[in-house]
């Protein structure tokens, strides 16, 4: 059986050791061993025979390992949402304003890191960077342990420790999504990207469920356990990524796609929509435990409920599980239609949250947030599915209008889609920071978060209008963002 068919590196030869390239095979990808590790020089996922014989197996293996690393990234990223609600019981006396900044800092840094992390995939390759990004998760874990060991620790060290958690879900998410987008054929990208993202997003729920239990082991509150818990898993993930993942030469083809994507109007339309979907998901995930504790302080008298983090983990859980559904629905009905409907559903959920606040009714409050999480999950999957659909549709149009090669246009579209995934992911993550800051301002200065929820309500309605204007109406749009209304995006 050939090297491509067995999916194992070829033994180095005199010629291969001096060049990173190798001969191609008609039956599957060629793995060219170099000093950096394994590289796949030929990758044709749109070829049904290629996909059946070798592509599917390789793509699935890389997807599983990517999900593992991204999951741990979200575990580390979100851990401060649990830590902040346990700081006072552990002997740390911080104001509400300071607590909201501790959950905002990971969002801000994570969003900023998404841009360089996305560029790291074409620079270093998906395999290498996945291993590196996993190893970097040890930094916020260690700083958390250092910060919580002494009640006299200054606030600035807490803020620094929280900020470094941004290397988790913030950074690893973009590089992971950009890398995985190259492995799957167009018809399977929606579900694959949704599954990859959901595997990471569900790390939020796992942390919010497991960490409150772990830090209470042995009696009292042991916040250092929140950092120590993930370190062995991080080491395992990094080792597995280094030895078992593959690098795609196509993913390193060029970096010009990123510069081109930045000038494309559709990039910023999708990025704006992702602010509403993912920004809401991660912003609510960080804020919900603190919102519940500050809005319904009587729940502290229920020890079982407090130990389970006031059930805040359920929101992130249902939102994560819903993300692949969003990708699947978008594959079937079109991402623009599904995303528009989810924003309408999110507006409805915001009304429910305000109702729960006004009546001080916890079941209504939590139930409305769970509905919001489901909608954000579906919207996350459908919005990301729009990206390859948009640029794939434009590639087909260019091939017809210019008479260029459809295959070459498709390759360029895949590279540009990967770039947009990273850019949109970075901008969308800033939405989480904005959500936390709007909550902070409303809570600290107005005494209630209801005005913040009405702000989000208005943003969701605006997003519905943007989708209709750019992708659903049947007239030619402005030149800057040409109409794709007749395409199933």
């Amino acid at each position: 059986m050939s090297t491509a068919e067995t999916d194992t590196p070829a033994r180095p030869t005199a010629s291969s050791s001096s060049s990173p390239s190798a001969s191609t095979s008609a039956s599957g990808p060629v793995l060219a061993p170099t000093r950096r590790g394994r590289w796949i020089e030929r990758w044709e996922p749109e070829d049904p025979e290629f996909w059946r014989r070798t592509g599917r197996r390789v793509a699935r293996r890389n997807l599983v390992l990517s999900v593992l690393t991204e999951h741990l990234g979200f575990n580390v990223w979100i851990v401060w949402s649990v830590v902040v609600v346990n700081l006072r019981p552990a002997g740390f006396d911080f104001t509400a304003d300071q607590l909201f900044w501790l959950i905002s800092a990971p969002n801000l840094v994570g969003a900023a890191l998404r841009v360089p992390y996305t560029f790291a995939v074409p620079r270093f390759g998906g395999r290498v960077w996945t291993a590196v990004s996993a190893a970097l998760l040890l930094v916020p874990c260690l700083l958390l342990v250092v910060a919580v060991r002494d009640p006299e620790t200054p606030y600035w060290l807490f803020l620094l420790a929280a900020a470094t958690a941004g290397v988790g879900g913030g950074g690893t998410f973009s590089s992971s999504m950009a890398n995985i987008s190259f492995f799957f054929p167009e018809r399977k990208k929606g579900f694959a990207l949704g599954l990859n993202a959901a595997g990471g997003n569900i790390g939020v729920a796992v942390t919010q469920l497991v960490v409150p239990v772990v830090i209470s082991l042995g009696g009292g509150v042991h916040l250092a356990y929140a950092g120590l818990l993930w370190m062995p898993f991080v080491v395992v993930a990094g080792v597995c990524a280094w030895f078992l993942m593959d690098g795609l030469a196509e993913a390193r083809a060029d970096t010009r796609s990123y510069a081109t994507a930045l000038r494309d109007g559709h990039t910023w339309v999708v990025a704006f929509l992702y602010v509403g979907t993912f920004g809401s998901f991660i912003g609510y995930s960080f804020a919900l435990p603190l919102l519940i504790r500050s809005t319904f302080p009587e729940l502290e008298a229920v020890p079982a409920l407090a130990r389970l983090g006031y059930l805040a983990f359920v929101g992130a859980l249902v939102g994560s599980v819903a993300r692949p559904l969003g990708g699947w629905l978008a594959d079937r009905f079109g991402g623009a239609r599904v995303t528009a409907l989810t924003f309408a559903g999110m507006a409805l959920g915001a009304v429910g949250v305000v109702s729960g606040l006004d009546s001080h009714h916890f079941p209504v409050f939590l139930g409305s947030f769970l509905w919001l999480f489901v909608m954000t999950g579906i919207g996350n999957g459908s919005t990301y599915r729009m990206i390859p659909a948009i640029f794939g549709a434009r590639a087909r149009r260019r091939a017809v209008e210019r008479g260029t090669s459809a295959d070459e246009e498709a390759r360029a579209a895949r590279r540009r889609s990967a770039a947009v995934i990273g850019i949109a992911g970075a901008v969308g993550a800033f939405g989480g920071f904005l959500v936390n800051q709007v909550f902070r301002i409303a809570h600290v200065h107005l005494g209630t978060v209801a005005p913040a929820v009405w702000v989000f309500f208005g943003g969701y309605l605006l997003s519905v209008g943007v989708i209709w204007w750019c992708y659903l109406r049947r007239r030619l749009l402005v030149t800057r963002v040409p109409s794709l209304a007749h395409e199933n995006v």
Side-chain angles (χ1 to χ4, degrees), residues 40 43 45 51 55 58-59 62 179-185 246 248:
I40 299 178
W43 188 250
W51 180 252
V58 174
N62 281 271
N179 183 47
I180 290 301
S181 69
F182 284 102
F183 279 94
F184 286 84
D246 302 293
L248 291 182

Side-chain angles (χ1 to χ4, degrees), residues 290-301 305 310 353 356-366:
L290 188 56
L291 291 178
I292 293 175
R293 186 159 190 167
S294 60
T295 306
F296 301 93
E298 65 274 13
L299 296 180
E300 293 184 37
L305 196 59
Y310 309 102
V353 170
L357 287 169
D358 290 343
S359 62
H360 199 74
H361 197 274
F362 179 66
V364 173
F365 175 85
L366 183 62

Side-chain angles (χ1 to χ4, degrees), residues 125-170:
R127 179 192 69 88
V128 173
W129 190 249
T130 301
V132 171
S133 63
L136 288 174
L137 296 175
L138 294 173
V139 175
C141 291
L142 288 170
L143 283 178
L144 170 58
V145 173
V146 172
V148 301
R149 67 180 179 176
D150 185 356
E152 299 301 320
T153 300
Y155 178 72
W156 68 264
L157 184 56
F158 273 90
L159 196 60
L160 175 63
T164 59
V167 304

Side-chain angles (χ1 to χ4, degrees), residues 244 250 440 472:
L244 298 178
E250 182 178 349
R440 181 186 68 83
L472 297 180

Side-chain angles (χ1 to χ4, degrees), residues 315-365:
L317 177 62
V318 296
S320 303
V321 172
R323 184 155 188 161
L325 175 62
W328 180 82
L329 289 172
D331 284 338
R332 187 174 180 85
F333 301 108
R337 296 184 183 91
V338 174
T339 306
L341 289 174
T342 58
F343 273 117
M346 289 163 69
L348 181 63
V351 173
V353 170
V354 173
S355 176
L357 287 169
D358 290 343
S359 62
H360 199 74
H361 197 274
F362 179 66
V364 173
F365 175 85

Side-chain angles (χ1 to χ4, degrees), residues 393-406 409:
R394 296 177 72 188
R396 291 190 293 272
R397 177 184 295 179
R398 281 195 299 270
V400 172
E401 293 176 348
R402 303 175 183 178
T404 54
S405 168
E409 292 287 359

